[in-house]
Amino acid sequence: MSAFGVQEQTPDDDLRTLFGESSAVFATFTGPEHAVEAASPAFLAAFGEEHEHGVTALLDETYRSGETRTRRDVRVVRGSGPHEREAFFDLTCEPRRTAAGDLLGVQVIGVETTQVKHAQRLTAEHRALLEQIARQAPLSEVLDGMARCIEELAPEELLVSVLLADPDGRHLRHGAAPSLPAFYNEAIDGIATGEGVGSCGTAAHRREPVIVTDIGTDPFWDDFRDLAQRAGLGACWSTPILARDGGLLGTFAMYHRTARVPQDSDLALIRLFAGTAALAIERHHLEVARQAADARAEAAREALALAVEAERELRAEAERRADAAAELAAQMRTAAAEQARSPHPELCQLGGRAGCAEPAEIKVADSWGDSAWGCAVHVEEALIHVRSVFIAGEELGGLGAYLNR
């Protein structure tokens, strides 16, 4: 059983349900004025007592020529304004004669071809939608075209709305609703999914169709009744649009101006197009995900390029430092060799003017190239003196005092 409580149907079953069986029409007329002698209810419903819609010209031509005439795809417009609907008929008009061969009138036999016309159009429209999806047309364009197609193919006036689920499935966003007022679309954009939140919010929450036949009395519409009244809506049937894995993609809704119970043709339309909407939305999600992945990959490539450049610069700096260290080491080795060639004095050189008679035991040197040999006592004093010079403030001369010593 389907979610609508009926036996699961195939696409061919849906086409037959949607367009029904072709109905035959029949009428006989007498005299040149074409007075109706007999007519089937289907003929009268389509053409009326005055047999308008181009039928009179066909009757005149047949009566005048006395020969059979055929017209295909005779278009009949039923109703007016928003309730206007078209129908098509193939008609054959034959002369009626007495046994003696005198012309009495004409008779019309025909069959309604509206179903065939609409089926052909539905097939063409559906193929066009699939081609749009295949070439990755914008989702809004696909859904808008689908909504308009359904509205035009429906046997009675209806208004179609498609809402798209947020990634978390908690809210529904505007997808397409070409015939609903702008203020209505803006008001329901972003509604929450949940029990009792209109037809669409409830259908999204339940993951099953919700049929509200009278918005004026249904409790699901308590919070939206005034809005629906302003938009002139009387009924709303909503079904969830589900992904192949069962995830919520959105909702598909049919609105009617008056309170109304769905017919088999309405349910067939929902079944035919809900799958197409799901395909379009899933393809859109895949494309968005692909673009996001491409953007991440490009960002990663750029980050890698920056890292490689930084690593190259660091390696170059390391090489420069290594060269400088090697040069310094060479200089130190040269200085050490030079110092090694200097004679080793016997007595301490750090005794100042008074001199020092102690043996020279320790050699001290600084980074400026100065060196001297001294006894343990004077070496210690020299080290303390140099250190105190470096930590002294500017008033004591600091480094300058040491350089000019």
Side-chain angles (χ1 to χ4, degrees), residues 304-339:
L304 178 60
L306 291 175
V308 169
E309 178 62 20
E311 189 273 342
R312 187 188 67 78
E313 293 178 356
L314 289 173
R315 181 173 296 178
E317 178 64 19
E319 291 174 353
R320 288 193 295 270
R321 290 177 179 272
D323 291 342
E327 183 179 355
L328 179 60
Q331 292 174 350
M332 292 179 65
R333 285 194 298 271
T334 300
E338 187 66 25
Q339 292 290 336

Side-chain angles (χ1 to χ4, degrees), residues 34-160:
H34 312 306
V36 177
E37 183 175 308
S40 66
F43 183 92
L44 295 177
F47 301 99
E49 292 284 349
E50 302 298 327
H51 40 268
E52 300 171 354
H53 308 291
V55 177
T56 300
L58 177 62
L59 298 177
D60 287 340
E61 184 179 346
T62 303
Y63 190 88
R64 183 173 56 254
S65 66
E67 297 177 353
T68 299
R69 294 287 187 266
T70 298
R71 294 287 184 275
R72 294 192 179 277
D73 298 328
V74 177
R75 183 173 180 269
V76 176
V77 178
R78 297 167 172 169
S80 60
H83 302 287
E84 181 178 292
R85 289 292 179 269
E86 64 180 3
F88 294 89
F89 293 84
D90 285 350
L91 301 176
T92 298
C93 192
E94 302 174 337
R96 297 174 57 223
R97 300 181 182 277
T98 64
D102 296 328
L103 187 62
L104 287 176
V106 295
Q107 67 178 10
V108 175
I109 301 174
V111 62
E112 184 175 356
T113 59
T114 307
Q115 299 86 350
V116 176
K117 282 286 186 182
H118 283 186
Q120 291 172 343
R121 184 176 179 185
L122 172 64
T123 301
E125 294 283 359
H126 194 257
R127 183 184 299 114
L129 287 173
L130 294 177
E131 290 174 354
Q132 283 183 305
I133 296 171
R135 63 179 173 84
Q136 297 179 346
L139 180 61
S140 58
E141 178 182 326
V142 175
L143 296 180
D144 187 83
M146 184 185 72
R148 293 181 186 278
C149 173
I150 296 170
E151 291 173 352
E152 293 173 4
L153 289 174
E156 296 184 14
E157 183 194 15
L158 58 81
L159 303 90
V160 172

Side-chain angles (χ1 to χ4, degrees), residues 262-285:
Q263 305 299 311
D264 288 342
S265 59
D266 299 310
L267 303 181
L269 272 174
I270 293 173
R271 284 190 294 266
L272 284 173
F273 283 96
T276 304
L279 175 62
I281 298 170
E282 282 195 288
R283 286 294 297 269
H284 172 72
H285 287 177

Side-chain angles (χ1 to χ4, degrees), residues 164-209:
L164 303 176
D166 277 347
D168 60 7
R170 295 180 179 179
H171 294 86
L172 298 172
R173 305 292 176 181
H174 174 74
S179 299
L180 287 171
F183 73 84
Y184 184 86
N185 291 330
E186 293 172 1
I188 66 172
D189 184 24
I191 64 168
T193 61
E195 186 69 17
V197 185
S199 298
C200 294
T202 305
H205 173 71
R206 292 181 176 180
R207 301 293 204 277
E208 63 182 29

